[in-house]
Amino acid sequence: MASILIKSIKTLVQVGKHNTPMTSPVKGADMKTLPQIDNAWLLIQDGLIHDYGTMDNCPENADQIIDATGRMVFPGWCDSHTHIVYAGSRESEFVDRINGLTYKEIAEKGGGILNSAKRLGNTPEEALVEQAYTRLEEIIGFGTALVEIKSGYGLSLKDELKMLRVIRRLKEMTNLTVKSTFLGAHAFPAIYKENPEEYMQLILTKMLPQIADEGLADYVDAFCEKGFFSVEQTERIMEAASKFGLKPKIHTNQFNCMGGIQASVKHGAISVDHLEVVNDEEITCLLGSNTMPVLLPSAPFFINDHYPPARKMIDAGLPVALATDFNPGSTPSGKMAFVVSLACINMKMTPEEAINAATINGAVALESQSSYGSIEKGKTGSVFITKRIPSIAYLPYSFGSNLVDKVILKGKLV
Ligand code: NIG
Ligand code: FE
């Protein structure tokens, strides 16, 4: 029995009350409440959270004891939306944007997703594993415990399979919990420009069956947006995927409201992601659903676009989750704490709301709320210990620092 006792914790954050497990999304006004215990201890045993309490009844023995005086303990971040497997980088597009081109104009010129697809096609599997693993190590250091990774830079049967096999290998290499999503419908490759239906058929009749057959994906995604996949095409993909047991998590409403949210809700999507633009009808639609709105504020930060209307959504009673969108084009960063800062600064979310969004609601967006997203008996022993900090609000306030001191994943000190 391997055990770690963390004692004299200044504040144990996002901690459930005994016997009432936190397994539902935190919505609306409840998002302002972040349960915590001051002057606490936490015992992790055999990879799981075993127990916790206040220092007046602290256990004495454990294989490893960590003194957390002045420091806080959080459940590991739940990053429910990333594209961490990619080849190389796209800083030339970053410079193009400085010189006046928009993200969409760069994509129309064959840059953007197609640029990354070309690079990925020319990169062997081994090198992709190595590059992505380095990124995973980085986000572990930032405190992430649960992460979703999408395909979508392959855009051919061979290369989509290659990406998903890389993700499968990553799952075996790390104590982060990794979920994989098939995003063959990320962009139409240039060779199908005149005949997009041919690429649709490739997704529907070749990619989906083989990916399902090899068990390579946990979810399916599509980029539902003008110039990418229409609502009708997205619906056909969701419908076909459901026959293979793959539930949707859909990129939509990044630039336009075109019905992507309504279609995703209709098909029982676990989440709808981006949502830089959302109208009243879409908020009403989400209120009547179990679909989690996932906001990715480091994307509009990086491409200088406007931010999702988080305040309006939460005030209407919705839950929201926060994720990084770590990818080479719109967000070359996997730092959840920075996303939390952006949510506070640019979307007027309180620190408590943003931390709920980055933990329990992120876990819900990956159907992992029974094991991640809060500190509760029986959940996975994946937490981070901060440096000395005066308050919870100091975390998003101090946006340039990495305040994570120690990381424990599945009961092991990293
Ligand atoms: O979520 N919007 C679509 N896909 C990614 C960006 C992909 C890229 O630019 O490489 C996103 O922002
Ligand atoms: Fe994305």
Side-chain angles (χ1 to χ4, degrees), residues 137-328:
E137 285 190 310
E138 186 187 31
I139 68 167
I140 289 171
F142 291 153
T144 299
L146 169 68
V147 68
E148 181 255 24
I149 310 178
K150 299 171 192 297
S151 70
Y153 294 124
L155 308 182
S156 67
L157 177 62
K158 175 170 113 335
D159 287 334
E160 282 296 307
L161 289 170
K162 176 166 86 172
M163 276 193 89
L164 289 164
R165 287 177 187 140
V166 167
I167 301 172
R168 182 167 62 190
R169 283 177 61 186
L170 293 170
K171 287 186 185 192
E172 290 158 6
M173 290 167 74
T174 173
N175 270 336
L176 265 176
T177 291
V178 176
K179 300 270 183 174
S180 61
T181 299
F182 167 53
L183 176 55
H186 200 187
F188 284 98
I191 49 165
Y192 299 101
K193 209 169 173 188
E194 300 310 318
N195 191 2
E197 183 53 28
E198 209 178 311
Y199 187 61
M200 282 295 294
Q201 287 307 318
L202 183 63
I203 293 174
L204 299 172
T205 66
K206 297 274 187 326
M207 293 185 185
L208 267 173
Q210 187 159 349
I211 286 159
D213 190 51
E214 291 188 37
L216 284 169
D218 300 305
Y219 297 103
V220 68
D221 191 351
F223 186 16
C224 183
E225 187 53 66
K226 279 188 188 153
F228 293 85
F229 289 76
S230 68
V231 173
E232 185 259 343
Q233 287 164 332
T234 304
E235 287 208 68
R236 285 166 64 201
I237 290 165
M238 292 191 280
E239 224 162 81
S242 81
K243 303 209 169 81
F244 296 106
L246 295 178
K247 295 179 197 165
K249 288 171 67 65
I250 300 294
H251 277 79
T252 187
N253 291 56
Q254 183 174 4
F255 306 116
N256 296 284
C257 296
M258 38 185 245
I261 290 179
Q262 291 89 328
S264 303
V265 165
K266 183 171 118 196
H267 289 271
I270 299 302
S271 69
V272 281
D273 301 38
H274 266 292
L275 279 49
E276 279 85 334
V277 290
V278 189
N279 63 32
D280 291 348
E281 190 193 319
E282 290 161 332
I283 290 180
T284 306
C285 171
L286 285 166
L287 279 168
S289 79
N290 290 319
T291 302
M292 177 63 74
V294 176
L295 314 181
L296 315 163
S298 45
F301 168 78
F302 188 69
I303 65 172
N304 203 16
D305 200 355
H306 57 84
Y307 288 84
R311 198 61 272 146
K312 197 171 167 189
M313 297 169 82
I314 297 169
D315 292 345
L318 282 173
V320 304
L322 289 167
T324 64
D325 199 17
F326 196 171
N327 76 71

Side-chain angles (χ1 to χ4, degrees), residues 21-205:
M22 195 187 288
T23 50
S24 310
V26 182
K27 301 179 184 184
D30 289 344
M31 286 192 74
K32 282 206 163 61
T33 305
L34 186 66
Q36 42 198 277
I37 301 177
D38 290 337
N39 196 25
W41 57 270
L42 170 67
L43 181 64
I44 297 172
Q45 196 165 298
D46 295 332
L48 300 178
I49 291 171
H50 188 74
D51 210 350
Y52 50 81
T54 48
M55 279 308 287
D56 47 6
N57 65 358
C58 182
E60 279 169 16
N61 298 317
D63 298 323
Q64 213 172 347
I65 297 180
I66 299 172
D67 187 315
T69 301
R71 294 167 308 140
M72 299 197 181
V73 174
F74 284 69
W77 302 122
C78 301
D79 188 353
S80 67
H81 181 137
T82 85
H83 310 248
I84 276 174
V85 175
Y86 59 84
S89 52
R90 300 204 327 243
E91 63 275 22
S92 64
E93 295 177 8
F94 171 70
V95 176
D96 287 343
R97 277 197 303 280
I98 296 168
N99 289 324
L101 287 183
T102 66
Y103 181 76
K104 282 174 274 186
E105 285 163 349
I106 292 165
E108 278 152 21
K109 284 194 346 176
I113 295 163
L114 297 183
N115 180 358
S116 282
K118 193 156 93 198
R119 287 164 193 264
L120 186 128
N122 294 329
T123 307
E125 191 171 313
E126 210 49 52
L128 288 174
V129 170
E130 209 172 287
Q131 290 184 33
Y133 188 71
T134 304
R135 294 178 198 120
L136 285 186
E137 285 190 310
E138 186 187 31
I139 68 167
I140 289 171
F142 291 153
T144 299
L146 169 68
V147 68
E148 181 255 24
I149 310 178
K150 299 171 192 297
S151 70
Y153 294 124
L155 308 182
S156 67
L157 177 62
K158 175 170 113 335
D159 287 334
E160 282 296 307
L161 289 170
K162 176 166 86 172
M163 276 193 89
L164 289 164
R165 287 177 187 140
V166 167
I167 301 172
R168 182 167 62 190
R169 283 177 61 186
L170 293 170
K171 287 186 185 192
E172 290 158 6
M173 290 167 74
T174 173
N175 270 336
L176 265 176
T177 291
V178 176
K179 300 270 183 174
S180 61
T181 299
F182 167 53
L183 176 55
H186 200 187
F188 284 98
I191 49 165
Y192 299 101
K193 209 169 173 188
E194 300 310 318
N195 191 2
E197 183 53 28
E198 209 178 311
Y199 187 61
M200 282 295 294
Q201 287 307 318
L202 183 63
I203 293 174
L204 299 172
T205 66

